[in-house]
């Protein structure tokens, strides 16, 4: 891994440790601008593609202006414009701008549409949940590398095709069950805004057109819609609409949406 990073000319030491942390995540694809030094304002230093989605990485020690963030977002989205993934078109507006800062840096107030992360918070910021399937992430990374000046960082294969066993302090299913158990003991208002981990993929997934969710009453369709609306609102500056055939429901939805 470090040999691949050391091959990048002019890579600052702080960048190397962050990139190494990203590449330790299975299925992560890193594309670094060539050259990475003296990157003009409005461009990103690198692109990260993985199960958590696509992120435009900007290394900084100070909070950029909203105008700079808008310029970064617009320029980056053009890289993904009309990019196809299988039979679908990748939704360029779902690319998120991420500010990567040194550990302990306080940027103060930052546009809430961007992700702020340091070397310690990489897993939570970039790899929580599943937005892209592995094969789709690979297609996106290869397509962007072909149409841009972002250079893919390749890591040597280990020589085995077997899937390594995941090791951790506890089982994922046990952690999810614990979250559900705690949620069930909370008041109804909390339950109305609780997002089950199994619902998260629906909240973050990209659709190339209309999508329909079907289920009996009380299965969480509205919760998914509200969290999806919140997610899109964080990534968009345009107007959004959540409506209903029942006249009284929008007022009821306002409270859990605010939560």
């Amino acid at each position: 891994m470090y040999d691949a990073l050391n091959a990048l000319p002019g890579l600052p030491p702080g960048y190397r440790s962050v990139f190494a942390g990203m590449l330790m995540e299975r299925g992560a694809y890193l594309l670094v601008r060539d050259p990475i030094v003296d990157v003009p304002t409005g461009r990103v230093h690198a692109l990260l593609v993985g199960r958590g989605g696509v992120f435009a990485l900007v290394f900084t020690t100070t909070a950029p202006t909203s105008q700079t963030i808008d310029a970064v977002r617009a320029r980056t989205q053009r890289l993904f414009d009309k990019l196809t993934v299988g039979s679908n078109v990748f939704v360029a507006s779902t690319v998120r701008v991420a500010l990567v800062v040194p550990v302990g840096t306080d940027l103060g107030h930052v546009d809430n549409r961007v992700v702020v992360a340091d070397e310690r918070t990489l897993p939570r910021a970039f790899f929580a949940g599943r937005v892209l399937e592995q094969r789709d992430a690979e297609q996106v990374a290869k397509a962007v590398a072909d149409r841009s000046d972002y250079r893919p960082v390749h890591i040597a294969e280990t020589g085995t095709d077997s899937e390594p066993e995941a090791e951790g302090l506890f089982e994922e299913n046990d952690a999810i069950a614990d979250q559900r158990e705690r949620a069930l003991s909370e008041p109804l208002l909390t339950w109305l805004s609780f997002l089950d981990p199994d619902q998260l993929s629906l909240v973050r997934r990209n659709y190339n057109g209309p999508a329909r969710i079907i289920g009996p009453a009380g299965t969480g369709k509205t919760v998914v819609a509200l969290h999806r609306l919140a997610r899109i609102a964080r990534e968009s500056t345009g107007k959004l609409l959540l409506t209903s055939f029942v006249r009284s429901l929008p007022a009821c939805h306002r409270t859990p949406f605010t939560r």
Side-chain angles (χ1 to χ4, degrees):
M1 178 189 303
Y2 284 100
D3 289 341
L5 294 174
N6 288 335
L8 299 174
L11 185 65
Y15 293 33
R16 182 177 290 106
S17 58
V18 170
F19 289 157
M22 293 175 174
L23 291 172
M24 288 177 65
E25 294 287 338
R26 188 170 184 82
Y29 298 91
L30 180 66
L31 298 93
V32 177
R33 191 172 189 275
D34 189 13
I36 197 171
V37 293
D38 300 325
V39 174
T41 300
R43 295 179 181 268
V44 299
H45 295 90
L47 299 167
L48 176 66
V49 183
R51 64 177 182 272
V54 181
F55 298 89
L57 307 178
V58 178
F59 285 78
T60 184
T61 56
T62 58
T65 64
S66 295
Q67 291 79 6
T68 299
I69 292 174
D70 288 340
V72 168
R73 179 176 288 106
R75 186 180 293 274
T76 304
Q77 287 179 1
R78 285 198 290 271
L79 294 176
F80 294 85
D81 188 39
K82 298 180 181 178
L83 186 152
T84 57
V85 180
S87 59
N88 294 320
V89 176
F90 180 80
V91 183
S93 61
T94 60
V95 178
R96 302 194 67 184
V97 176
L99 306 180
V100 183
V101 300
V103 174
T105 300
D106 182 9
L107 295 182
H109 176 71
V110 180
D111 189 321
N112 60 10
R113 292 173 295 161
V114 306
V115 177
V116 179
D118 59 33
E119 188 175 345
R120 297 179 304 185
T121 60
L122 296 179
R124 183 174 72 250
F126 301 121
F127 302 104
R130 184 179 295 277
V131 177
L132 290 174
E133 297 298 330
Q134 178 65 48
R135 61 182 181 277
D136 294 337
E138 182 178 6
Q139 288 184 31
V140 169
K142 288 181 177 179
V144 172
D146 290 340
R147 62 162 66 178
S148 72
D149 54 359
Y150 287 88
R151 173 182 176 183
V153 179
H154 295 290
I155 303 301
E157 296 295 334
T158 59
T160 175
D161 295 330
S162 61
E163 185 80 12
E165 293 185 4
E167 297 182 358
L169 297 177
F170 46 81
E171 293 292 334
E172 179 182 7
N173 289 339
D174 293 340
I176 293 174
D178 186 54
Q179 292 181 42
R180 291 170 179 157
E181 189 68 27
R182 288 201 307 270
L184 286 170
S185 65
E186 295 290 334
L188 178 62
L189 189 59
T190 300
W191 183 248
L192 290 176
S193 59
F194 171 74
L195 186 68
D196 189 279
D198 285 344
Q199 296 170 301
L200 190 59
S201 62
L202 296 175
V203 170
R204 294 181 171 176
R205 188 170 299 172
N206 299 329
Y207 295 99
N208 185 32
R212 180 173 63 173
I213 298 177
I214 301 174
T219 52
K221 302 184 298 298
T222 299
V223 173
V224 168
L226 292 174
H227 278 278
R228 186 170 177 83
L229 183 71
R231 192 269 291 180
I232 297 174
R234 287 193 296 267
E235 301 169 358
S236 171
T237 57
K239 292 184 178 181
L240 304 170
L241 175 66
L242 176 69
T243 188
S244 170
F245 288 112
V246 181
R247 188 183 300 272
S248 60
L249 279 182
C252 297
H253 292 159
R254 187 175 294 116
T255 298
F257 178 75
T258 302
R259 288 177 62 87

